[in-house]
Amino acid sequence: MTKNIKDLIGVALIGLIIVFLIHIYIALFIPVSPTGEWKEVVIQKGMNFREITSLLKKEGMVRDGFTFDVLGRTFGITKKVRAGYYSISPSMPMIEILKTLKKGMIIEYSLTIPEGLTIEDIADAIEKPGLSRREDFISITKDRGFIKSIGFDADSLEGYLFPDTYLLPKGVTSQEIAERMINRFREVITDEIGNRAKEMGFTMGEVITLASIIEREAQVDSERAIVSAVYHNRLRKGMLLQADPTAIYGKKRLNEKITKKDLQNKSPYNTYRITGLPPGPIANPGLKSIKAALHPADVDYLFFVSKNDGTHHFSRTAVEHNEAVLRYQKEKVAKR
């Protein structure tokens, strides 16, 4: 082979390499359209990378399916794509789309569930951003078959949907949300908590039930253990708990005004009519109230009444309690 032919071949190879590099550069860094609209692209569970590539090409997100597929395999993301809803635009360079897929950057919602909500309240919070239909969530959390399948012996999951901030993907089901909250509950309920419950002679269901009442009654952290002590003292003496929130559970929302008529409700949860704890939780308590239920303050109070500022006046006798009730009722009227 003559030197000229070798030179020509060398030049041709260099040319091909340059063309290839330009092609790769365009594929990786030049978007299909600088002004393309954003779309929600749904990657289903079980999709292989070739199917994902075809979907993105069909949606107009990549211009060269073959190159995208090859680069995806080169970057090692072909078996690591997280299923879900992705927000992608043809104005994104291919390299950014590949990074989005590799990082699993699906559309997610941050949902904060405060302490003391009921199943119905949580269902409202879930429905608001469009994560799940309210009725679907309520239905699954009261489905005895589902409840039994996850290891609970209860009529509903009230009390066991742990309050926390959850990052939930778009398309998540009501069952998946409930499972996430139950799994968080199980993470929080440590062996230490379980052992303390046994030591006190309480089942975990009884602990959560008492904690739910404490959660609804105590508005400041410093009073949780004292409120707990009042109920423990009443239980020991065989007194009615007379916890106002129990009177309206299942009748009204727990943040609604409680009337004297409500206190006479013929409900199995109404502790103005039943002895001991109600048959189950009346809300979903947080860790502070659960710990308060297990570690009551060392006090002998039997009564408390709201001071109209989020705190309570605690009393040892009915006489002292009735005097406090009259005092704070007068103060409340005077402030109107």
Side-chain angles (χ1 to χ4, degrees), residues 4-19:
N4 288 340
I5 293 175
K6 287 182 179 180
D7 289 343
L8 287 173
I9 292 173
V11 170
L13 286 173
I14 291 172
L16 287 172
I17 290 171
I18 292 172
V19 170

Side-chain angles (χ1 to χ4, degrees), residues 227-285:
V227 170
S228 176
V230 169
Y231 292 129
H232 277 284
N233 293 340
R234 282 178 165 258
L235 286 171
R236 278 194 295 269
K237 290 178 177 290
M239 297 173 65
L240 296 177
L241 294 187
Q242 295 183 321
D244 289 5
T246 65
I248 60 170
Y249 179 69
K251 303 289 183 179
K252 291 181 175 180
R253 289 297 181 90
L254 293 182
N255 58 353
E256 291 186 53
K257 184 179 179 180
I258 301 173
T259 65
K260 288 184 178 180
K261 185 178 178 180
D262 291 327
L263 303 183
Q264 300 305 314
N265 278 332
K266 292 182 179 180
S267 162
Y269 286 84
N270 186 358
T271 55
Y272 277 86
R273 297 180 65 93
I274 65 165
T275 302
L277 291 167
I282 62 167
N284 293 276

Side-chain angles (χ1 to χ4, degrees), residues 152-171:
F152 284 84
D153 182 19
D155 292 328
S156 82
L157 291 177
E158 190 80 272
Y160 306 100
L161 302 171
F162 195 75
D164 207 340
T165 296
Y166 295 90
L167 200 58
L168 300 170
K170 182 170 183 176

Side-chain angles (χ1 to χ4, degrees), residues 59-102:
E59 293 290 341
M61 301 299 160
V62 296
R63 63 165 58 85
D64 185 345
F66 175 78
T67 302
F68 185 84
D69 187 71
V70 170
L71 290 174
R73 295 174 190 281
T74 302
F75 293 158
I77 64 173
T78 55
K79 294 181 181 180
K80 299 179 181 179
V81 180
R82 182 182 179 189
Y85 288 73
Y86 288 80
S87 184
I88 299 177
S89 166
S91 63
M92 293 173 67
M94 184 187 290
I95 187 68
E96 292 301 320
I97 296 176
L98 288 167
K99 286 180 180 178
T100 297
L101 295 178
K102 186 169 185 177

Side-chain angles (χ1 to χ4, degrees), residues 45-61:
K45 288 182 179 179
M47 266 190 171
N48 60 43
F49 198 75
R50 186 162 294 174
E51 291 171 326
I52 294 170
T53 300
S54 297
L55 174 63
L56 292 172
K57 193 168 188 311
K58 180 182 177 181
E59 293 290 341
M61 301 299 160

Side-chain angles (χ1 to χ4, degrees), residues 193 196-202 206-207 210-211 214 218 221-236 241 287-302 304 314:
I193 289 175
R196 174 62 177 166
K198 291 177 182 177
E199 179 184 311
M200 297 181 72
F202 280 75
E206 290 170 334
V207 171
L210 178 54
I214 295 168
D221 290 345
S222 61
E223 290 189 352
R224 291 183 197 275
I226 306 174
V227 170
S228 176
V230 169
Y231 292 129
H232 277 284
N233 293 340
R234 282 178 165 258
L235 286 171
R236 278 194 295 269
L241 294 187
L287 183 58
K288 290 178 181 178
S289 289
I290 294 172
K291 287 185 174 180
L294 292 168
H295 300 278
D298 186 15
V299 294
D300 57 357
Y301 296 130
L302 291 171
F304 61 86
F314 294 90

Side-chain angles (χ1 to χ4, degrees), residues 116-185:
L117 298 189
T118 62
I119 284 175
E120 285 74 16
D121 296 326
I122 295 173
D124 289 339
I126 289 170
E127 185 177 61
K128 191 173 182 180
L131 282 166
S132 171
R133 291 177 66 248
R134 181 179 188 275
E135 295 78 9
D136 292 343
F137 185 77
I138 293 174
S139 177
I140 195 65
T141 55
K142 297 185 179 183
D143 183 318
R144 288 300 300 272
F146 170 65
I147 294 170
K148 186 177 180 180
S149 73
I150 58 175
F152 284 84
D153 182 19
D155 292 328
S156 82
L157 291 177
E158 190 80 272
Y160 306 100
L161 302 171
F162 195 75
D164 207 340
T165 296
Y166 295 90
L167 200 58
L168 300 170
K170 182 170 183 176
V172 67
T173 66
S174 293
Q175 181 171 319
E176 288 169 338
I177 296 172
E179 288 172 344
R180 285 277 297 276
M181 299 183 80
I182 287 295
N183 289 339
R184 183 69 183 121
F185 173 84

